[in-house]
Amino acid sequence: MTARIAEPLTSYDEAAGLGLSREKLLGVYRHLLLTRGVEERGHILYKQGKVPGSFYSGRGNEGAAVATAMALGPNDVGTPTQRDMGVHIVRGLEPWRILAQYMGRAGGVMRGRDGNVHMANTDDNMVPMVSHMGAMMPVAVGMALAIRIRGERRVAVTWFGDGASARGDVHESMNFAGVHRLPVVFICDNNQWAYSTPSSLEYAVEHIANRAEAYGFEGVVVDGTDLLTVYREAKLAVDRARDGGGPTLLECVTLRMEGHGAHDPATYIPRALLQEWAGKEPIGRYRAWLREEAALTDEEEANVAEAVRQQLNEAVRLAEESPPAHPSDPLHAVYADSAPDA
């Protein structure tokens, strides 16, 4: 058995059937613009020499990140990676705190410490990554095991890339989760390039999601630029996990529209391939759907764009006004202040 290929969700009625009112659909558009805008402002700050190290973005992956985050309940836990800025935005992380983290400022979500993409707001049940190379999958599986032991109706979700799928901790995590039918959803951001290595040299199967059968659970392949279809499939997977149906491997196929990081010009990606995927990038694709199916007007579109622009301007101001991380603060939140609840 191979992975199921998700049929696209096309109509407004289908979206409404998933509980997405017109107001919510417009809110999703705002999340998309804010996700890309935060990374664009961060890239500008990087070019200005205000962001240490390199800079990483998820351009082209905004739809999958926003959609999968929308499928989570407020008490569900997750481990997003550097390509999943939309997860942080949907979960309510303030853009200025993201930009402050990029710059190593005390107002950053991790108080300016660690790598500029190693961040998450634990108050939103998101766990900061220690590495994007599959290392957070065992963490998510461990959280799912704790959820099972405690008898809670919660779900753990973990994101990883196609390159990370070659690592042992990825296989071990999915094998353990499958054996124990844990409430966890594995989301592969398949952007077709593991740094400079194309998919044809990464794995021999047609789809990464085909591996799910060997672990004893369902694999689903979805066009990662198709936000509404990703949302439907992610919600099905999360609901199944919550109801005791075990894990799902959801493969969201996109294309990384920029290099691995700002230091990488990505000249190895064929221009024709970039042009092909640029024609269906997630924000433009979703905007076109809103106009055709939800009667998005020019005025509404302009109002959303202007509100996002003002929020981003304010975010940059607050981030730049935040003081640098203080050397006396390295141990904050490293050790627990008290024993966890029984």
Side-chain angles (χ1 to χ4, degrees), residues 10 35 40 56 102 109 116 126 129 139-140 142 149 184 190-191 198 224 228 242 277 282 315 337 342:
T10 57
T35 297
E40 288 178 341
Y56 304 86
Y102 282 157
V109 62
N116 59 41
M126 296 291 106
M129 67 176 182
V139 175
I149 292 171
V184 59
N190 186 350
N191 54 48
L228 292 172
R242 196 183 315 283
W277 282 82
D337 295 326

mmCIF file of all heavy atoms in Angstrom, residues 10 35 40 56 102 109 116 126 129 139-140 142 149 184 190-191 198 224 228 242 277 282 315 337 342:
data_model
loop_
_atom_site.group_PDB
_atom_site.id
_atom_site.type_symbol
_atom_site.label_atom_id
_atom_site.label_comp_id
_atom_site.label_asym_id
_atom_site.label_seq_id
_atom_site.Cartn_x
_atom_site.Cartn_y
_atom_site.Cartn_z
ATOM 1 N N THR A 10 -11.654 22.519 -3.044
ATOM 2 C CA THR A 10 -11.770 23.600 -4.019
ATOM 3 C C THR A 10 -12.842 24.639 -3.718
ATOM 4 O O THR A 10 -12.682 25.811 -4.068
ATOM 5 C CB THR A 10 -12.049 23.020 -5.417
ATOM 6 O OG1 THR A 10 -13.250 22.225 -5.361
ATOM 7 C CG2 THR A 10 -10.889 22.147 -5.880
ATOM 8 N N THR A 35 3.165 36.099 8.274
ATOM 9 C CA THR A 35 4.249 35.116 8.268
ATOM 10 C C THR A 35 5.351 35.518 7.293
ATOM 11 O O THR A 35 6.539 35.578 7.660
ATOM 12 C CB THR A 35 3.709 33.726 7.890
ATOM 13 O OG1 THR A 35 2.770 33.298 8.880
ATOM 14 C CG2 THR A 35 4.828 32.707 7.793
ATOM 15 N N GLU A 40 10.482 38.591 5.849
ATOM 16 C CA GLU A 40 11.052 39.620 4.975
ATOM 17 C C GLU A 40 11.711 40.731 5.795
ATOM 18 O O GLU A 40 12.812 41.192 5.456
ATOM 19 C CB GLU A 40 9.968 40.193 4.066
ATOM 20 C CG GLU A 40 9.523 39.233 2.975
ATOM 21 C CD GLU A 40 8.411 39.775 2.113
ATOM 22 O OE1 GLU A 40 7.723 40.719 2.555
ATOM 23 O OE2 GLU A 40 8.215 39.252 0.995
ATOM 24 N N TYR A 56 17.391 32.257 8.061
ATOM 25 C CA TYR A 56 16.677 31.158 7.410
ATOM 26 C C TYR A 56 15.204 31.525 7.267
ATOM 27 O O TYR A 56 14.622 32.125 8.176
ATOM 28 C CB TYR A 56 16.800 29.876 8.232
ATOM 29 C CG TYR A 56 18.230 29.486 8.505
ATOM 30 C CD1 TYR A 56 18.916 30.009 9.605
ATOM 31 C CD2 TYR A 56 18.906 28.621 7.654
ATOM 32 C CE1 TYR A 56 20.233 29.677 9.844
ATOM 33 C CE2 TYR A 56 20.224 28.279 7.891
ATOM 34 C CZ TYR A 56 20.885 28.810 8.985
ATOM 35 O OH TYR A 56 22.195 28.477 9.216
ATOM 36 N N TYR A 102 15.718 37.261 16.639
ATOM 37 C CA TYR A 102 16.659 37.273 15.521
ATOM 38 C C TYR A 102 17.898 38.103 15.858
ATOM 39 O O TYR A 102 19.023 37.735 15.507
ATOM 40 C CB TYR A 102 16.013 37.886 14.276
ATOM 41 C CG TYR A 102 15.066 37.000 13.515
ATOM 42 C CD1 TYR A 102 14.080 37.570 12.697
ATOM 43 C CD2 TYR A 102 15.126 35.608 13.566
ATOM 44 C CE1 TYR A 102 13.206 36.784 11.962
ATOM 45 C CE2 TYR A 102 14.259 34.819 12.850
ATOM 46 C CZ TYR A 102 13.301 35.412 12.050
ATOM 47 O OH TYR A 102 12.430 34.634 11.325
ATOM 48 N N VAL A 109 11.790 35.990 22.221
ATOM 49 C CA VAL A 109 11.002 34.950 22.871
ATOM 50 C C VAL A 109 11.872 34.048 23.736
ATOM 51 O O VAL A 109 11.410 33.527 24.751
ATOM 52 C CB VAL A 109 10.217 34.148 21.812
ATOM 53 C CG1 VAL A 109 11.145 33.439 20.855
ATOM 54 C CG2 VAL A 109 9.286 33.147 22.477
ATOM 55 N N ASN A 116 19.158 32.112 16.324
ATOM 56 C CA ASN A 116 18.030 33.017 16.090
ATOM 57 C C ASN A 116 16.773 32.324 15.575
ATOM 58 O O ASN A 116 15.719 32.955 15.483
ATOM 59 C CB ASN A 116 18.447 34.159 15.151
ATOM 60 C CG ASN A 116 18.953 33.673 13.803
ATOM 61 O OD1 ASN A 116 18.407 32.760 13.224
ATOM 62 N ND2 ASN A 116 20.015 34.309 13.311
ATOM 63 N N MET A 126 4.371 25.301 22.540
ATOM 64 C CA MET A 126 5.357 25.025 21.505
ATOM 65 C C MET A 126 6.733 24.865 22.163
ATOM 66 O O MET A 126 7.051 25.579 23.116
ATOM 67 C CB MET A 126 5.402 26.151 20.474
ATOM 68 C CG MET A 126 4.118 26.331 19.685
ATOM 69 S SD MET A 126 3.766 24.959 18.526
ATOM 70 C CE MET A 126 2.425 24.102 19.384
ATOM 71 N N MET A 129 13.270 24.354 19.250
ATOM 72 C CA MET A 129 14.079 23.263 18.705
ATOM 73 C C MET A 129 15.535 23.407 19.118
ATOM 74 O O MET A 129 16.051 24.514 19.299
ATOM 75 C CB MET A 129 13.967 23.229 17.186
ATOM 76 C CG MET A 129 14.575 24.402 16.455
ATOM 77 S SD MET A 129 14.459 24.138 14.665
ATOM 78 C CE MET A 129 15.283 25.610 14.065
ATOM 79 N N VAL A 139 11.541 14.131 20.836
ATOM 80 C CA VAL A 139 10.932 14.978 21.870
ATOM 81 C C VAL A 139 9.410 14.933 21.746
ATOM 82 O O VAL A 139 8.690 14.761 22.741
ATOM 83 C CB VAL A 139 11.444 16.423 21.754
ATOM 84 C CG1 VAL A 139 10.731 17.334 22.753
ATOM 85 C CG2 VAL A 139 12.953 16.483 21.958
ATOM 86 N N ALA A 140 8.915 15.088 20.531
ATOM 87 C CA ALA A 140 7.466 15.063 20.316
ATOM 88 C C ALA A 140 6.879 13.695 20.663
ATOM 89 O O ALA A 140 5.798 13.603 21.257
ATOM 90 C CB ALA A 140 7.151 15.420 18.865
ATOM 91 N N GLY A 142 8.108 11.626 22.820
ATOM 92 C CA GLY A 142 8.117 11.546 24.279
ATOM 93 C C GLY A 142 6.944 12.284 24.893
ATOM 94 O O GLY A 142 6.325 11.805 25.858
ATOM 95 N N ILE A 149 0.174 8.309 28.888
ATOM 96 C CA ILE A 149 0.265 7.841 30.272
ATOM 97 C C ILE A 149 -0.686 8.621 31.179
ATOM 98 O O ILE A 149 -1.329 8.058 32.076
ATOM 99 C CB ILE A 149 1.712 7.957 30.780
ATOM 100 C CG1 ILE A 149 2.605 6.945 30.036
ATOM 101 C CG2 ILE A 149 1.801 7.747 32.286
ATOM 102 C CD1 ILE A 149 4.080 7.123 30.294
ATOM 103 N N VAL A 184 0.335 11.276 17.998
ATOM 104 C CA VAL A 184 1.323 12.179 17.425
ATOM 105 C C VAL A 184 1.114 12.255 15.918
ATOM 106 O O VAL A 184 0.723 11.277 15.280
ATOM 107 C CB VAL A 184 2.765 11.712 17.754
ATOM 108 C CG1 VAL A 184 3.036 10.317 17.239
ATOM 109 C CG2 VAL A 184 3.802 12.695 17.219
ATOM 110 N N ASN A 190 8.398 18.771 2.817
ATOM 111 C CA ASN A 190 9.233 18.291 1.725
ATOM 112 C C ASN A 190 9.435 19.417 0.718
ATOM 113 O O ASN A 190 8.630 19.612 -0.195
ATOM 114 C CB ASN A 190 8.593 17.076 1.051
ATOM 115 C CG ASN A 190 9.506 16.462 0.000
ATOM 116 O OD1 ASN A 190 10.533 17.035 -0.361
ATOM 117 N ND2 ASN A 190 9.138 15.297 -0.497
ATOM 118 N N ASN A 191 10.536 20.171 0.898
ATOM 119 C CA ASN A 191 10.794 21.281 -0.024
ATOM 120 C C ASN A 191 11.765 20.896 -1.138
ATOM 121 O O ASN A 191 12.305 21.766 -1.816
ATOM 122 C CB ASN A 191 11.275 22.521 0.737
ATOM 123 C CG ASN A 191 12.468 22.248 1.622
ATOM 124 O OD1 ASN A 191 13.450 21.632 1.194
ATOM 125 N ND2 ASN A 191 12.408 22.714 2.858
ATOM 126 N N PRO A 198 19.158 17.132 -4.147
ATOM 127 C CA PRO A 198 17.773 16.995 -4.625
ATOM 128 C C PRO A 198 17.123 15.723 -4.118
ATOM 129 O O PRO A 198 17.798 14.780 -3.683
ATOM 130 C CB PRO A 198 17.936 16.957 -6.153
ATOM 131 C CG PRO A 198 19.299 16.367 -6.349
ATOM 132 C CD PRO A 198 20.142 16.887 -5.207
ATOM 133 N N GLY A 224 1.721 21.136 -0.674
ATOM 134 C CA GLY A 224 1.943 22.038 0.443
ATOM 135 C C GLY A 224 1.634 23.486 0.159
ATOM 136 O O GLY A 224 1.596 24.306 1.091
ATOM 137 N N LEU A 228 -5.826 25.096 2.082
ATOM 138 C CA LEU A 228 -7.067 24.517 2.590
ATOM 139 C C LEU A 228 -7.040 22.992 2.574
ATOM 140 O O LEU A 228 -7.570 22.350 3.484
ATOM 141 C CB LEU A 228 -8.249 25.037 1.779
ATOM 142 C CG LEU A 228 -8.532 26.532 1.982
ATOM 143 C CD1 LEU A 228 -9.581 27.012 0.990
ATOM 144 C CD2 LEU A 228 -8.983 26.824 3.411
ATOM 145 N N ARG A 242 -6.195 12.217 18.396
ATOM 146 C CA ARG A 242 -6.869 12.556 19.655
ATOM 147 C C ARG A 242 -7.872 11.475 20.056
ATOM 148 O O ARG A 242 -8.090 11.222 21.247
ATOM 149 C CB ARG A 242 -7.586 13.904 19.505
ATOM 150 C CG ARG A 242 -7.993 14.530 20.844
ATOM 151 C CD ARG A 242 -8.775 15.822 20.681
ATOM 152 N NE ARG A 242 -8.218 16.737 19.707
ATOM 153 C CZ ARG A 242 -7.147 17.507 19.926
ATOM 154 N NH1 ARG A 242 -6.534 17.444 21.092
ATOM 155 N NH2 ARG A 242 -6.706 18.329 18.990
ATOM 156 N N TRP A 277 7.170 26.569 -9.651
ATOM 157 C CA TRP A 277 6.559 26.635 -8.325
ATOM 158 C C TRP A 277 6.193 28.055 -7.929
ATOM 159 O O TRP A 277 5.267 28.253 -7.132
ATOM 160 C CB TRP A 277 7.481 25.992 -7.293
ATOM 161 C CG TRP A 277 7.404 24.504 -7.348
ATOM 162 C CD1 TRP A 277 8.068 23.675 -8.210
ATOM 163 C CD2 TRP A 277 6.584 23.657 -6.536
ATOM 164 N NE1 TRP A 277 7.724 22.363 -7.986
ATOM 165 C CE2 TRP A 277 6.822 22.318 -6.959
ATOM 166 C CE3 TRP A 277 5.701 23.887 -5.495
ATOM 167 C CZ2 TRP A 277 6.178 21.234 -6.371
ATOM 168 C CZ3 TRP A 277 5.066 22.798 -4.898
ATOM 169 C CH2 TRP A 277 5.305 21.499 -5.340
ATOM 170 N N PRO A 282 1.998 29.908 -2.181
ATOM 171 C CA PRO A 282 0.792 29.754 -1.374
ATOM 172 C C PRO A 282 -0.013 31.021 -1.132
ATOM 173 O O PRO A 282 -1.243 30.962 -1.063
ATOM 174 C CB PRO A 282 1.314 29.163 -0.055
ATOM 175 C CG PRO A 282 2.769 29.479 -0.034
ATOM 176 C CD PRO A 282 3.203 29.477 -1.454
ATOM 177 N N ALA A 315 6.532 46.251 15.001
ATOM 178 C CA ALA A 315 7.348 45.142 15.484
ATOM 179 C C ALA A 315 8.832 45.443 15.344
ATOM 180 O O ALA A 315 9.630 45.158 16.256
ATOM 181 C CB ALA A 315 6.995 43.870 14.718
ATOM 182 N N ASP A 337 12.245 25.414 38.262
ATOM 183 C CA ASP A 337 12.216 26.066 39.562
ATOM 184 C C ASP A 337 11.612 25.176 40.643
ATOM 185 O O ASP A 337 11.879 25.344 41.821
ATOM 186 C CB ASP A 337 11.417 27.372 39.485
ATOM 187 C CG ASP A 337 12.077 28.405 38.575
ATOM 188 O OD1 ASP A 337 13.330 28.422 38.538
ATOM 189 O OD2 ASP A 337 11.368 29.164 37.921
ATOM 190 N N ALA A 342 2.386 16.225 39.862
ATOM 191 C CA ALA A 342 2.271 14.767 39.785
ATOM 192 C C ALA A 342 1.203 14.367 38.789
ATOM 193 O O ALA A 342 0.253 15.077 38.572
ATOM 194 C CB ALA A 342 1.959 14.218 41.163
#
